[in-house]
Amino acid sequence: MERKYWNINLEEMIKAGVHLGHDFQKWNPRMAPYISAKRKGIHITNLTITARFLSEACDLVFDAASKGKTFLIVGTKKKVSNLVASAATRARCHYVHKKWLGGMLTNWPTTEKRLQKFRNLRAEQKMGKFKRLPKRDVAKLKRKLSIFQKYLGGVKYMTGLPDIVIFVDQKEEYTALRECVILGIPTICLIDTNCDPDIADISIPANDDTLTSIQFILTKLVSAICEGRSNYISRAI
C-alpha cells in the first residue's frame, strides 16, 4: 500500500469540533483508550489517535480506488443527508442517505431486482413511453419512481456488492454495519464516545453529531478516493 501525507491538521480538527464527545454518562467503556479528558460533563476524544486512524483509512481508500474498487457511503440522519450525497457524488461513490432498507446487501438478489426495475422505469420515462399510457397508470409509475429515487437513487448504478463501505454514524447505521460484517465487506466508521470501536475494520474516533466534524472526516476520505481514482485512470490510459 502506498503511504501518503494527508495533511490532517490537529488545529483544524479542533476548530471542526472533531474532539467533542458525548455526555460522560452515555459513554461506552470500550472507548476509554480513545478518550483523553473529560470537560464540562463531556468526554474529549484523543485527536492524535483520531488522526492516526483517519490517515490509515485514507491510505486504505486511496489504495482501493487505485485498483478500481467500489465504495458505498452510508449516512441517513436528516442533518447529514445532503452532505453524504454531495461527498459521494464528488468521489463517484454509491451512497444511501435517506433510509437503509434491511437486507440491502445480505439479500443482494432482491436488491438487484429492485435496481433493475428502477433502471427500466427510468429508461421508459426517458424514451417517452409514459406518454402512451393512461394518466392513472402514469401517476402510479411516477410515484413508484419517486420512491425508488428516494431510497435507491444513490445506488442505482451499483451492479454488485461494494468493496468498502463508509459509515458516518455507527449507532444510526448499525443494521447496515452488521450486514457488512456478516458478508465480510471491509468497513470504515466514525465512532463517537458512545460507540463500540471493535465492530468496524477501521474505526475513526470523532464527533458524529456535528456537521463540521463529519464534513472534515468525509472530505479527507473523499480526497483520498479521488486521488486514487486519478491514479487508476492514468494507468488505464
Side-chain angles (χ1 to χ4, degrees), residues 117-230:
K117 191 168 185 178
F118 180 24
R119 289 191 284 263
N120 290 342
L121 278 176
R122 291 179 76 243
E124 289 175 8
Q125 185 182 42
K126 288 181 178 179
M127 290 187 291
K129 290 187 176 182
F130 283 13
K131 296 177 181 178
R132 307 171 194 170
L133 301 173
K135 289 185 178 179
R136 172 184 276 184
D137 292 342
V138 172
K140 287 182 180 179
L141 290 175
K142 284 185 175 180
R143 279 197 298 272
K144 187 172 290 187
L145 261 176
S146 178
I147 293 172
F148 276 142
Q149 181 60 43
K150 182 176 181 180
Y151 298 118
L152 299 174
V155 295
K156 58 180 174 286
Y157 298 120
M158 198 160 76
T159 56
L161 294 175
D163 294 303
I164 295 176
V165 183
I166 299 169
F167 296 94
V168 300
D169 188 314
Q170 186 191 91
K171 291 283 187 179
E172 189 76 16
E173 316 304 341
Y174 187 77
T175 299
L177 181 56
R178 290 304 302 174
E179 288 191 33
C180 291
V181 172
I182 290 169
L183 294 169
I185 299 172
T187 55
I188 297 169
C189 188
L190 271 72
I191 53 166
D192 214 322
T193 55
N194 63 338
C195 295
D196 184 344
D198 300 324
I199 300 177
D201 293 284
I202 296 182
S203 292
I204 304 171
N207 179 351
D208 64 11
D209 292 310
T210 304
L211 281 178
T212 51
S213 172
I214 296 169
Q215 186 170 30
F216 180 90
I217 302 296
L218 278 183
T219 297
K220 295 299 180 184
L221 293 173
V222 162
S223 294
I225 292 171
C226 289
E227 195 167 335
R229 287 200 193 284
S230 294

Side-chain angles (χ1 to χ4, degrees), residues 1-2 5 19 24 26 34 46 61 64 92 95 114-115 119 135 188 191 197 204 212 229:
M1 182 185 291
E2 182 176 345
Y5 176 66
H19 62 300
F24 70 88
K26 297 179 180 179
Y34 310 100
N46 187 324
V61 298
R92 288 174 297 167
Y95 64 92
R114 288 174 178 167
L115 290 174
R119 289 191 284 263
K135 289 185 178 179
I188 297 169
I191 53 166
I204 304 171
T212 51
R229 287 200 193 284

Side-chain angles (χ1 to χ4, degrees), residues 15-110:
K15 187 176 180 181
V18 176
H19 62 300
L20 301 175
H22 278 277
D23 186 305
F24 70 88
Q25 293 179 336
K26 297 179 180 179
W27 80 311
N28 186 324
R30 292 185 179 181
M31 287 296 294
Y34 310 100
I35 294 171
S36 62
K38 182 167 61 176
R39 295 177 189 165
K40 296 181 180 180
I42 67 169
H43 278 123
I44 303 299
T45 300
N46 187 324
L47 290 184
T48 302
I49 295 176
T50 299
R52 177 161 58 91
F53 282 116
L54 177 55
S55 181
E56 288 181 8
C58 287
D59 283 335
L60 175 65
V61 298
F62 170 80
D63 186 61
S66 297
K67 296 175 182 176
K69 301 294 185 180
T70 61
F71 301 87
L72 173 65
I73 302 178
V74 183
T76 61
K77 284 198 297 191
K78 189 174 182 180
K79 64 181 178 180
V80 303
S81 178
N82 292 336
L83 181 61
V84 167
S86 177
T89 300
R90 180 188 160 203
R92 288 174 297 167
C93 298
H94 307 297
Y95 64 92
V96 175
H97 72 316
K98 291 296 183 182
K99 179 182 178 181
W100 183 265
L101 303 178
M104 186 178 288
L105 298 181
T106 49
N107 193 7
W108 176 249
T110 297

